[in-house]
Amino acid sequence: MTLVVTAGMVALVPSNAHAAGSRGFAYVWANQASSALNTPYTPAGSYSRNSTGGVNTVVRTGVGQYTVRLPKLGLSGGTVHVTAYGATSHSCNVAGWAPVGDRLDVRVRCFTPSGSRANTRFTASFVNTAYLGGRFGYLWANQPSSSSYTPSTTYQFNSSGATNTITRSGVGQYSVRLPGIGSAAGHVQVTAYGDVTARCKVVNWYPSGTAQIADVRCFTLGGALRDTRFSFTYARGTGILRTTPAAYAWANQPTTAAYSPALAYQYNSSGSTNRITRQGVGVYRVWTPNMPLGYGNVQVTAYGADSKHCKVDYWTPSTGIQVRCYTASGTLADTYYDVSFAR
């Protein structure tokens, strides 16, 4: 047996394991929150995909603890995002990801607002790419207390070929710098990392010279700033998995009944214009014309300097993508957010 330590996870890999899997992408909707312990199940096929053709599975290992298994994607690297699903105020983190033979295992943890682990449905996405060109980047922010550093080069990517860096300006406050892909446009997703009671979100993003800067804040579940590792993705004119069909939007008018988000910060691979309607306090529907919402994956990140957070409630072709946003204590609240769809 060989001991492998990567991305905060430890795995024993048999010495005769298959060759490492290919680069690629995968996603799941983990739709059985209380499945039998330590018994893998296959998520709904319309909402699960693996670029290698492998069949993804999910296993619940304890209350609010899950492992998503992605066959043939067992390379070290890439990035993962996780969003809690449903009408509760629960939230979910990525606790780690690592290869086990030629399979990639992604660990997920879900919590109530008070910090108790809770069985929860969720969506998860993974991408590991080497394709240069366009404006796309990701990283794993793995040194939460460092004032300035280069994140793990194994777990970061920049489509310009440059190296991403991070600076910390205070407790739980970070600036991500992605050289060579700056523009006053695009989309950001952020997910807190680790078996910790924390949430992270994007505060803003903007160009600085040719670099893209994105400010991130991380909080305890109670709403206090805290140093936390996180995963981060920036995309412009492409989905967060670099696949099509895909769409994204920055929901920048949280109290408006119906509007089209700022064009520079929305994308629809069909060429259509996305729209958002407000259903009530903290409840929104995102309309992405010509997107196959009977399939695919949705990720949501709250936007702004406060501790509010958002999740996906559901998505269907007839209703669009429904998003719910909450205060730290779990009360519905109007707020900005970023939402992404990928098929």
Side-chain angles (χ1 to χ4, degrees):
M1 304 288 283
T2 301
L3 182 65
V4 176
V5 182
T6 181
M9 294 179 64
V10 178
L12 286 174
V13 181
S15 58
N16 62 349
H18 296 111
S22 62
R23 294 183 185 271
F25 68 90
Y27 58 73
V28 300
W29 170 43
N31 60 315
Q32 298 182 31
S34 300
S35 59
L37 279 172
N38 302 312
T39 303
Y41 73 90
T42 301
S46 296
Y47 306 98
S48 178
R49 188 177 178 189
N50 185 312
S51 60
T52 72
V55 177
N56 306 320
T57 58
V58 179
V59 57
R60 186 170 72 95
T61 57
V63 175
Q65 303 177 65
Y66 306 89
T67 298
V68 179
R69 296 175 174 176
L70 307 175
K72 302 180 184 179
L73 287 171
L75 282 179
S76 294
T79 199
V80 171
H81 290 293
V82 175
T83 298
Y85 175 101
T88 70
S89 56
H90 297 168
S91 58
C92 298
N93 297 345
V94 54
W97 67 96
V100 178
D102 65 356
R103 185 184 78 208
L104 190 76
D105 280 7
V106 177
R107 294 188 298 151
V108 174
R109 299 290 183 265
C110 299
F111 303 92
T112 66
S114 65
S116 300
R117 284 199 178 126
N119 293 333
T120 303
R121 291 175 292 176
F122 62 88
T123 65
S125 67
F126 165 79
V127 65
N128 186 349
T129 185
Y131 171 68
L132 299 180
R135 289 183 170 92
F136 185 81
Y138 59 71
L139 56 81
W140 171 46
N142 61 315
Q143 299 179 37
S145 300
S146 295
S147 60
S148 180
Y149 70 100
T150 299
S152 167
T153 54
T154 301
Y155 294 91
Q156 69 155 279
F157 173 78
N158 184 312
S159 60
S160 75
T163 300
N164 308 319
T165 57
I166 297 176
T167 58
R168 175 182 177 272
S169 59
V171 174
Q173 302 174 67
Y174 308 95
S175 288
V176 175
R177 185 176 188 272
L178 300 94
I181 57 174
S183 57
H187 182 75
V188 170
Q189 286 291 323
V190 183
T191 300
Y193 175 100
D195 194 355
V196 294
T197 51
R199 286 188 289 258
C200 297
K201 63 190 295 187
V202 60
V203 177
N204 55 21
W205 67 95
Y206 50 91
S208 177
T210 61
Q212 190 72 19
I213 307 298
D215 294 329
V216 172
R217 290 195 178 186
C218 298
F219 300 87
T220 65
L221 297 189
L225 287 164
R226 68 167 290 172
D227 290 333
T228 305
R229 292 174 290 178
F230 58 89
S231 60
F232 170 98
T233 298
Y234 170 78
R236 180 189 175 191
T238 185
I240 66 166
L241 302 180
R242 302 195 96 177
T243 61
T244 55
Y248 61 66
W250 172 43
N252 61 320
Q253 299 180 38
T255 59
T256 300
Y259 68 100
S260 177
L263 293 178
Y265 299 96
Q266 68 157 286
Y267 168 73
N268 184 310
S269 61
S270 76
S272 299
T273 300
N274 305 318
R275 288 188 56 79
I276 295 174
T277 58
R278 179 177 179 268
Q279 304 301 112
V281 175
V283 182
Y284 308 93
R285 287 187 177 175
V286 182
W287 304 93
T288 55
N290 302 312
M291 290 296 101
L293 295 185
Y295 303 86
N297 186 262
V298 172
Q299 298 296 326
V300 182
T301 295
Y303 173 104
D306 58 28
S307 60
K308 292 173 185 173
H309 64 102
C310 299
K311 63 185 295 188
V312 57
D313 193 356
Y314 55 82
W315 67 97
T316 74
S318 61
T319 63
I321 301 166
Q322 182 146 306
V323 172
R324 288 179 176 258
C325 299
Y326 299 89
T327 64
S329 62
T331 302
L332 285 165
D334 292 327
T335 193
Y336 297 68
Y337 60 90
D338 284 353
V339 57
S340 170
F341 169 80
R343 171 71 173 91

